[in-house]
Amino acid sequence: SVATDDEMRQVWTPRTTGVVDLPAHRTAVSAAAESAAGRLNITGTARRALVDAALLHDEGKNDQRFQRSLRHRPGAHPGVVLAKSGMRSTQLIRRAREASGLPSGWRHEQLSAAITWGQLTSSDPVERDLVTRLVGTSHGRGRCGFDHTAPDLLGSTGASEAAVALFDDAEWDLIVERTDARWGIWGVAYLEAILRAADGTTSRSGS
């Protein structure tokens, strides 16, 4: 049941040798996205956005609460920033999530979008919009908004001007509108699907 549950696959790996660290996962997804873009003859801004989004799509997993949710007990796997848990039981995964302190419905890709928006302030506005949109929708959510405003998203982890702009001041909704207008609804959906396929293929391989 873990392997067929889309939500569980975000935190679980089929590897029998243990956990997957975040830097290795993001590098593998980025390589898969770039390979797919090459095979599909995607060039220019769209290609760069896909590769950058693949690198940034799981940055929200750095949140300490989320890291706790990937560990069967506090202190497990010290010094490692995890992308995927080594837990192989839905009961253990759900128990760790409950112990993490994350609010119900919290999405790591929402935080990833805020981190991305904050990091790309000097980028081309069109490209910044697209990368942020792809990161925020990398698990099929977010097109109609997210459940949480900035305070709930961040918890006690600190302030984020980007999170406030996106999720308190409606910039995220404007990004969705702008990317739909610039790339077309189906064009953005196509790019979202490529990123999700790169992530899913990488995860299924155990990376």
Side-chain angles (χ1 to χ4, degrees):
S1 63
V2 175
T4 58
D5 187 313
D6 182 63
E7 295 301 312
M8 291 295 183
R9 285 202 307 271
Q10 296 178 36
V11 299
W12 176 82
T13 174
R15 287 176 56 177
T16 58
T17 56
V19 299
V20 175
D21 70 87
L22 185 56
H25 176 69
R26 59 180 284 182
T27 299
V29 175
S30 179
E34 187 161 28
S35 175
R39 294 195 305 273
L40 295 167
N41 295 317
I42 296 172
T43 61
T45 298
R47 182 172 184 147
R48 291 193 302 272
L50 270 173
V51 175
D52 288 346
L55 279 171
L56 294 165
H57 78 286
D58 272 350
E59 285 301 289
K61 288 184 176 181
N62 281 291
D63 186 280
Q64 291 183 355
R65 298 166 297 170
F66 191 85
Q67 286 297 305
R68 171 63 184 90
S69 77
L70 297 179
R71 291 161 164 80
H72 65 282
R73 58 177 173 76
H77 312 294
V80 180
V81 180
L82 299 180
K84 307 285 183 179
S85 168
M87 294 181 288
R88 309 186 68 80
S89 158
T90 55
Q91 184 177 14
L92 282 177
I93 292 171
R94 289 183 175 127
R95 188 178 299 162
R97 174 81 178 205
E98 291 169 0
S100 70
L102 288 169
S104 177
W106 190 92
R107 308 289 308 181
H108 69 267
E109 66 269 28
Q110 182 184 8
L111 181 54
S112 297
I115 294 169
T116 298
W117 185 251
Q119 286 186 3
L120 300 182
T121 53
S122 60
S123 299
D124 171 72
V126 171
E127 192 165 336
R128 184 190 189 195
D129 276 355
L130 184 56
V131 176
T132 303
R133 161 75 180 265
L134 292 175
V135 167
T137 57
S138 59
H139 290 295
R141 308 291 183 90
R143 294 182 194 89
C144 299
F146 290 99
D147 290 346
H148 298 298
T149 58
D152 288 332
L153 177 66
L154 300 169
S156 60
T157 59
S160 166
E161 292 182 5
V164 171
L166 262 61
F167 307 116
D168 293 353
D169 298 337
E171 187 65 35
W172 171 256
D173 300 303
L174 295 175
I175 289 171
V176 172
E177 291 179 7
R178 290 195 298 263
T179 49
D180 282 347
R182 173 65 179 80
W183 302 95
I185 292 173
W186 294 111
V188 182
Y190 180 59
L191 296 175
E192 288 176 3
I194 295 169
L195 177 56
R196 292 191 70 192
D199 188 22
T201 301
T202 300
S203 295
R204 282 195 298 275
S205 71
S207 296

